[in-house]
Amino acid sequence: MQEFGIGASARRKEDDRFVAGRGQYTDDVVMQDQAYAYFVRSPYAHASIKSIDTSEAEQAPGVIAILSAKDVQADQLAPLTCGWVVHSKDGTPMHGAVHPLLAEEKVRYVGDHVAVVVAETRAQAKDAAELVFVDYEELPAVVSMTHAQADGTAQLHDDVPRNTVYDWQLGDKQAVEDAFSKADHVSRIVLTNSRLVPNPMEPRAATGSYDPSTESFTLYVTSQNPHVMRLTLSGFIQLAPEHKVRVIAPDVGGGFGSKAFVYPDEVLCLWSARKVGRPVKWTCERSEAFLGDAHGRDHETTAELALTAEGKVLGLTVETKANIGAYLSTFGSAVPSYFYAPLLSGQYDIPAIYATVDAVHTNTAPVDAYRGAGRPEATYVIERLMETAARDLKMDPAEIRRRNFVKSFPHKTPVLMEYDNGDYDACLDKALDYAQYDQFAERKAAAEASGKRRGIGFSCYIESCGVGPSRIMASMGAGIGQYESAEVRVNPTGSVEVMSGCHSHGQGHATTFAQLVADKFGIDFNDVEIVQGDTDKVQFGLGTYGSRSGPVGMTAVYRAADKVIAKAKKVAAHLMEAAESDIEFDKGSFKVAGTDKTVSWPEVSLAAYVGHAFPTDEIEPGLKEHAYHDPTNFTFPTGCHICEVEIDPDTGCIDIVNFVAVDDFGKVINPMIVEGQVHGGVAQGIGQALLEHSIYDPDSGQLITGSFMDYTMPRADDMPDLTVGFTETPALSNPLGIKGCGEAGAIAAPPAVINAITDALGVKELDMPATPEKIWRALQDQSAG
């Protein structure tokens, strides 16, 4: 019999309908008299708009309306704004250029929104869009951050000097200079963290409708946080009062962060429904997604590590340029600053750290959070540096890490974070055992004997999850707190509905949240239903991103369930004519302490609603409670990933022969689901390390890698067999001890893979993606001396 409680690998409840094709996605929503939208997008990376002529397009078959910036302005819709304010070194707030819903005087990247065509069919809207004539005056485009800051030939926004949104710092510069003055050795590395396209399985989509009788809007949308979408539509864009806007995020086919933001497309789809008096649907084409979805990563970094001769780290200095694209996205300013630099300490006790970040506009798609969001970039810096330092000092890469691990907790880093708990040695020891590290030298020798190169790479990562404590987030510049909400509703028959402000887009909330509640109440797992994604059904919540659903969202459910049990005890006390203080609850049964008197969960549930089992002037009828959870600290998942590769010197082809992932996620609710999250994250991390790279032409700003023909995604045959293991130290900031697991693989895998490749090649630096051509050229350069 399958187990369903906390810690059981219960099969996912939602998979039956997904596998059978019964999922309900936004594109599946069909409304009566529905029209279709298609966007006119800029073919230029940078240009002035001299005029827009829609006359020919308006005569095309099926066209209902063509809307441009003048229509947006006439309805007084506000532009998109960034939800996070970062301050520069001098204390001044960042230069916050807004993102117009439709381009007004200039376009700033290829794919920028210029107009929206609404027609009877999608094909007619697309055909008409090609007939809209836009008279552009092309301007110089800039893709390089160095050029964007230096030469001034491509000024994207008049109010952003040198195209620099902020120059930010964190840490103690003087303390770092003192540490370096005492160092026996300094390891230095120059890194590029390549730009990525998120590419969730389901492209973005929206279906909007407007009811003139109630002056209310309904938007079906592929969103990770529907309440934030509604808040933005009402409070910032000023489309309508919040109670007149309903946002529904049905099944969502993956997000990886890219569906956590507010884009012009969805806003304009909903607005155009009011303009034309009919529901309007828009579904993103994959080519549009490459152009317009928020990209990820794109850092250029120089970092130095000061060490003693024995390998003890004294200080770290990091200089980073972060490309944030043409406009500031929803969280775009926070990702390369507060989501990045506070994690540069890694798992290590580093006395002094100083980091600077320049956030730079270029004529490219906006950049925002992508699976890991700043933490992969930080891990890549410190783990590549630790590997480099080990080679410089001729130390074992495991030993230099162990020598610098944080050993006692709580531990305050020099860059804001306070680690609450952990056992980094335990993760390393288990990973070394799984990887059979003590036999690596023999495997390396055997590979060399057959003409191959073999290398091994480590990645001991830490990340901050459970986004996040509202007070701390506000001090960092966040525009809204990061608590989470839940309502637990017990029906008269004892079944339970849970309304959560989180949103599942592949994480398995219908299963794990049900496991928590079933375990808490001692009821059947199948008697628990999870309701998410509808702002008319669910109380305000912040959604799912940053691995927050477990430590924050589930804790809100846990607290609401505690309140339900407390009220149920009052009902049970009346049923058994006992004092409330004498009631004990365990495994679905209420008992009077010291007696054999009991009542069951269904009996108490029914009694709570019938109205005569207790005095209603003392206890309100019904059995439902709500709770909010605002964590006191972040959670800190950690782990050790070890990658072993074999390289064919003749072709540069790489074979990942072994990959070990040992993670400490605190308390694990469902090991099978968590292991699946690790597999998916590692796949994306390997994709970045070996294959994926979003490339723009340096002169024209055209996206070269604009389809799956050019942008290489990892496939099944690129993936090794993974060995996954767990250790457990509970998080102390929530009663469940959960830390979060959704991003770990994408954080840890890239440095592990690149460290293994550079070990096999005997080189210090190799930029991602490590393609066979790059590896082959590195080997040729090595042969040439």
Side-chain angles (χ1 to χ4, degrees):
M1 182 176 177
Q2 188 178 183
E3 294 292 329
F4 296 110
I6 289 177
S9 290
R11 195 178 73 177
R12 288 174 27 127
K13 296 175 70 170
E14 52 269 71
D15 282 352
D16 285 346
R17 63 186 181 87
F18 288 147
V19 171
R22 297 195 303 271
Q24 181 76 4
Y25 298 90
T26 298
D27 191 54
D28 295 323
V29 175
V30 178
M31 296 185 178
Q32 186 175 356
D33 203 26
Q34 176 177 281
Y36 295 81
Y38 196 85
F39 289 95
V40 178
R41 298 178 184 272
S42 170
Y44 297 105
H46 200 195
S48 297
I49 298 175
K50 299 177 71 176
S51 64
I52 300 175
D53 184 356
T54 63
S55 57
E56 184 179 359
E58 288 169 355
Q59 301 306 310
V63 171
I64 300 168
I66 300 175
L67 306 169
S68 63
K70 62 182 177 59
D71 301 294
V72 172
Q73 293 164 347
D75 281 11
Q76 299 182 323
L77 299 186
L80 300 176
T81 58
C82 180
W84 203 293
V85 177
V86 176
H87 290 74
S88 290
K89 296 174 186 175
D90 62 5
T92 58
M94 67 187 190
H95 299 287
V98 296
H99 187 172
L101 296 172
L102 290 171
E104 296 167 1
E105 298 176 354
K106 280 181 32 169
V107 290
R108 295 178 173 89
Y109 70 100
V110 175
D112 207 350
H113 305 73
V114 176
V116 57
V117 178
V118 182
E120 296 290 347
T121 70
R122 189 175 181 282
Q124 289 173 333
K126 186 174 182 179
D127 289 344
E130 295 179 0
L131 299 176
V132 174
F133 177 76
V134 183
D135 187 5
Y136 295 102
E137 181 180 340
E138 192 171 3
L139 300 170
V142 63
V143 171
S144 159
M145 288 183 281
T146 300
H147 291 159
Q149 286 187 298
D151 57 24
T153 57
Q155 182 66 39
L156 272 73
H157 304 276
D158 293 339
D159 54 351
V160 185
R162 296 179 57 244
N163 294 310
T164 304
V165 177
Y166 57 74
D167 61 322
W168 178 80
Q169 64 180 354
L170 184 65
D172 188 332
K173 184 177 181 181
Q174 186 59 55
V176 169
E177 290 176 352
D178 293 343
F180 273 74
S181 69
K182 300 170 186 174
D184 297 316
H185 175 78
V186 173
S187 289
R188 183 177 186 272
I189 197 161
V190 178
L191 303 170
T192 297
N193 204 301
S194 47
R195 177 183 280 243
L196 304 175
V197 179
N199 283 316
M201 186 178 295
E202 176 204 30
R204 288 186 296 118
T207 301
S209 64
Y210 177 71
D211 184 348
S213 66
T214 59
E215 298 182 325
S216 61
F217 292 87
T218 299
L219 175 66
Y220 286 85
V221 65
T222 51
S223 175
Q224 297 176 216
N225 45 8
H227 279 97
V228 173
M229 173 71 77
R230 185 178 73 161
L231 174 62
T232 302
L233 288 167
S234 174
F236 296 94
I237 295 171
Q238 299 172 10
L239 178 65
E242 196 167 3
H243 66 285
K244 296 289 187 179
V245 179
R246 181 184 185 184
V247 175
I248 303 170
D251 292 326
V252 174
F256 313 123
S258 68
K259 294 174 182 172
F261 323 126
V262 180
Y263 296 86
D265 317 74
E266 295 92 335
V267 177
L268 294 166
C269 184
L270 185 60
W271 166 69
S272 64
R274 182 174 64 183
K275 298 293 286 185
V276 302
R278 292 170 60 179
V280 175
K281 170 179 281 190
W282 167 77
T283 301
C284 185
E285 294 181 342
R286 186 61 68 176
S287 58
E288 290 180 291
F290 272 98
L291 291 173
D293 283 7
H295 292 183
R297 317 290 192 249
D298 206 349
H299 284 196
E300 295 174 0
T301 295
T302 301
E304 294 183 332
L305 199 65
L307 305 105
T308 67
E310 294 75 29
K312 188 72 179 72
V313 176
L314 302 175
L316 168 66
T317 181
V318 178
E319 295 180 7
T320 294
K321 291 184 188 294
N323 191 340
I324 58 169
Y327 302 104
L328 278 171
S329 183
T330 308
F331 302 120
S333 61
V335 174
S337 53
Y338 286 108
F339 291 2
Y340 164 65
L343 276 303
L344 286 169
S345 190
Q347 297 184 11
Y348 311 112
D349 184 5
I350 304 178
I353 300 175
Y354 179 67
T356 62
V357 178
D358 283 6
V360 183
H361 278 310
T362 63
N363 294 114
T364 60
V367 177
D368 209 316
Y370 170 64
R371 197 168 191 171
R375 288 96 81 201
E377 296 91 315
T379 298
Y380 193 67
V381 171
I382 188 61
E383 287 306 293
R384 291 287 291 115
L385 260 179
M386 292 300 288
E387 201 82 6
T388 300
R391 296 170 194 172
D392 288 349
L393 296 174
K394 296 180 171 52
M395 290 183 65
D396 182 276
E399 177 55 32
I400 195 171
R401 287 173 167 84
R402 193 187 302 276
R403 192 166 295 185
N404 287 283
F405 280 160
V406 173
K407 303 290 186 182
S408 61
F409 298 89
H411 173 79
K412 179 75 173 174
T413 75
V415 279
L416 298 180
M417 292 300 178
E418 184 171 301
Y419 302 163
D420 59 347
N421 201 6
D423 187 345
Y424 308 151
D425 284 294
C427 276
L428 177 60
D429 290 340
K430 196 167 190 176
L432 290 171
D433 179 50
Y434 283 1
Q436 297 181 315
Y437 184 61
D438 57 348
Q439 300 171 34
F440 171 70
E442 299 169 20
R443 298 194 296 274
K444 184 179 179 72
E448 289 175 352
S450 63
K452 302 291 179 67
R453 299 282 190 99
R454 188 172 280 239
I456 197 163
F458 289 74
S459 177
C460 292
Y461 76 94
I462 191 168
E463 59 163 327
S464 60
C465 289
V467 179
S470 295
R471 179 180 53 81
I472 297 174
M473 301 291 278
S475 71
M476 294 177 175
I480 190 169
Q482 291 292 313
Y483 54 83
E484 198 44 80
S485 66
E487 180 180 298
V488 175
R489 180 187 301 167
V490 182
N491 296 316
T493 57
S495 64
V496 178
E497 295 170 273
V498 177
M499 285 69 177
S500 171
C502 296
H503 187 276
S504 181
H505 40 279
Q507 291 86 349
H509 292 178
T511 303
T512 52
F513 281 47
Q515 285 181 257
L516 170 65
V517 174
D519 192 88
K520 189 81 171 168
F521 291 159
I523 61 176
D524 192 306
F525 167 77
N526 294 304
D527 285 340
V528 183
E529 186 76 16
I530 309 302
V531 180
Q532 300 179 340
D534 187 336
T535 60
D536 271 15
K537 292 182 178 179
V538 177
Q539 67 291 331
F540 189 91
L542 276 301
T544 293
Y545 42 85
S547 299
R548 67 190 303 273
S549 293
V552 189
M554 292 184 81
T555 300
V557 173
Y558 181 90
R559 295 192 185 283
D562 274 343
K563 292 182 178 181
V564 167
I565 291 172
K567 183 174 181 179
K569 283 183 176 181
K570 294 181 180 182
V571 176
H574 279 279
L575 289 177
M576 294 185 286
E577 299 179 335
E580 182 185 335
S581 59
D582 290 336
I583 302 300
E584 298 174 345
F585 177 69
D586 183 49
K587 297 180 180 177
S589 179
F590 298 85
K591 178 182 179 181
V592 179
T595 76
D596 59 358
K597 295 176 71 173
T598 64
V599 289
S600 67
W601 176 264
E603 289 175 306
V604 171
S605 301
L606 183 60
Y609 285 92
V610 297
H612 57 66
F614 48 83
T616 55
D617 58 341
E618 295 180 18
I619 307 172
E620 290 184 353
L623 194 54
K624 70 173 183 178
E625 298 287 347
H626 70 271
Y628 289 84
H629 175 63
D630 194 352
T632 56
N633 192 6
F634 297 98
T635 61
F636 297 97
T638 62
C640 177
H641 290 205
I642 301 176
C643 177
E644 189 171 334
V645 302
E646 193 169 85
I647 295 173
D648 183 343
D650 295 329
T651 64
C653 288
I654 310 146
D655 182 16
I656 299 178
V657 294
N658 191 23
F659 197 104
V660 168
V662 175
D663 300 285
D664 179 359
F665 297 134
K667 186 68 175 178
V668 173
I669 302 297
N670 186 312
M672 180 188 69
I673 286 178
V674 170
E675 188 168 337
Q677 288 285 324
V678 173
H679 278 241
V682 168
Q684 285 181 282
I686 289 174
Q688 178 177 12
L690 300 182
L691 301 162
E692 298 182 54
H693 190 191
S694 180
I695 302 171
Y696 285 87
D697 182 271
D699 298 318
S700 68
Q702 293 291 329
L703 181 63
I704 297 172
T705 52
S707 75
F708 288 135
M709 294 290 289
D710 308 295
Y711 185 94
T712 312
M713 296 284 285
R715 300 181 301 182
D717 59 357
D718 295 309
M719 285 294 294
D721 289 333
L722 302 182
T723 302
V724 176
F726 304 118
T727 63
E728 182 180 322
T729 57
L732 302 182
S733 58
N734 67 77
L736 293 166
I738 299 173
K739 294 184 178 180
C741 68
E743 297 158 299
I747 292 169
V753 174
I754 298 299
N755 283 338
I757 293 170
T758 54
D759 178 51
L761 297 178
V763 301
K764 182 176 180 180
E765 296 177 8
L766 186 74
D767 282 338
M768 296 186 289
T771 61
E773 181 186 357
K774 281 185 186 176
I775 290 171
W776 183 84
R777 291 190 182 279
L779 288 165
Q780 301 313 302
D781 291 344
Q782 197 176 61
S783 298

